[in-house]
């Protein structure tokens, strides 16, 4: 971390890292041959949550520290150089063009760390923004994920306040796996366990009942 060149930015990064804000943090943006980005979202019990942010920090861009491969820089809102909070990115290639946007470089990946970064960058990115109703999740690195919006056979029924899902003409054991997402009646759920082709349990109770509806 470049604590001499960017003391405010480094202190901000460390404050998130030392708190519980980044517990179960994920890389939520993966652009091949450009960047991987994190700091904004965590996962717990198959649910994605937004990181609670501290007040924005003052931009500390230094032309001497360019956005080249292996550097760590602050993410910002477009058009506002003093909007950095919890999100940061790692440059996978030389992105000196980002210097004109004053993206503050505050660290460098050392040792064999870029092998990990490159491995993440090689994972296919998928658009799950509609699934999670968040536009920031359009380029999430996901391996072995089925296409979003795949309709399962048959229909399902849920009861408000219950984790149980009953199916009619369904094939839960072959079409679903524990941990997968399931959209029922416009709401996203996650599969906890599969009892049979016609019965599964969700990680959280359904807030409303649905009778014989299609699921995806």
């Amino acid at each position: 971390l470049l604590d001499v060149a960017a003391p405010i930015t480094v202190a901000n990064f460390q404050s998130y890292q030392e708190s519980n804000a980044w517990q179960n943090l994920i890389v939520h943006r993966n652009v091949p041959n450009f960047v991987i980005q994190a700091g904004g979202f965590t996962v717990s019990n198959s649910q994605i949550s937004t990181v609670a942010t501290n007040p924005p920090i003052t931009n500390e861009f230094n032309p001497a520290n360019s956005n080249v491969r292996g550097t760590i820089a602050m993410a910002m809102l477009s058009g506002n150089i003093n909007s950095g909070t919890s999100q940061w990115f790692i440059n996978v290639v030389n992105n000196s063009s980002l210097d004109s946007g004053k993206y503050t470089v505050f660290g460098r990946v050392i040792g064999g760390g870029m092998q990990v970064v490159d491995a993440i960058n090689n994972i296919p990115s998928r658009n799950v923004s509609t699934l999670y109703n968040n536009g920031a999740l359009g380029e999430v690195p996901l391996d072995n994920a089925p296409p979003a919006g795949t309709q399962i056979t048959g229909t399902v029924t849920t009861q408000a306040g219950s984790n149980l899902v009953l199916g009619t003409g369904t094939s839960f054991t072959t079409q679903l796996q524990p941990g997968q997402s399931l959209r029922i009646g416009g709401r996203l759920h996650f599969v906890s366990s599969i009892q049979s082709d016609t019965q599964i349990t969700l990680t959280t109770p359904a807030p409303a009942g649905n009778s014989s509806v299609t699921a995806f």
Side-chain angles (χ1 to χ4, degrees), residues 105-180:
V105 170
F106 65 94
R108 296 189 179 95
V109 179
I110 61 175
M114 285 307 292
Q115 295 178 16
V116 179
V117 173
D118 290 336
I120 294 172
N121 200 226
N122 286 330
I123 296 173
S125 295
R126 301 179 187 272
N127 187 344
V128 295
S129 57
T130 300
L131 197 63
Y132 289 96
N133 193 30
N134 192 309
L137 301 176
E139 298 167 300
V140 180
L142 288 174
D143 214 358
N144 299 321
T150 302
Q151 183 175 334
I152 64 173
T153 59
T155 60
V156 301
T157 296
T158 62
Q159 187 175 12
S162 173
N163 295 60
L164 194 65
V165 177
L166 299 178
T168 301
T170 48
S171 301
F172 291 151
T173 58
T174 57
Q175 292 190 317
L176 294 176
Q177 294 180 10
Q180 278 190 323

Side-chain angles (χ1 to χ4, degrees), residues 7 17 27 37 94 98-99 116 187 194:
Q17 189 272 328
V27 171
Q37 185 168 326
N94 292 336
L98 295 178
D99 295 349
V116 179
R187 185 177 178 86
I194 302 172

Side-chain angles (χ1 to χ4, degrees), residues 21 23-26 28 39-52 132 134 137:
Q23 186 73 26
N24 299 319
L25 188 71
I26 63 169
H28 71 271
F41 299 90
T42 60
V43 169
S44 180
N45 294 324
S46 299
Q47 299 283 353
I48 291 183
S49 300
T50 303
V51 170
Y132 289 96
N134 192 309
L137 301 176

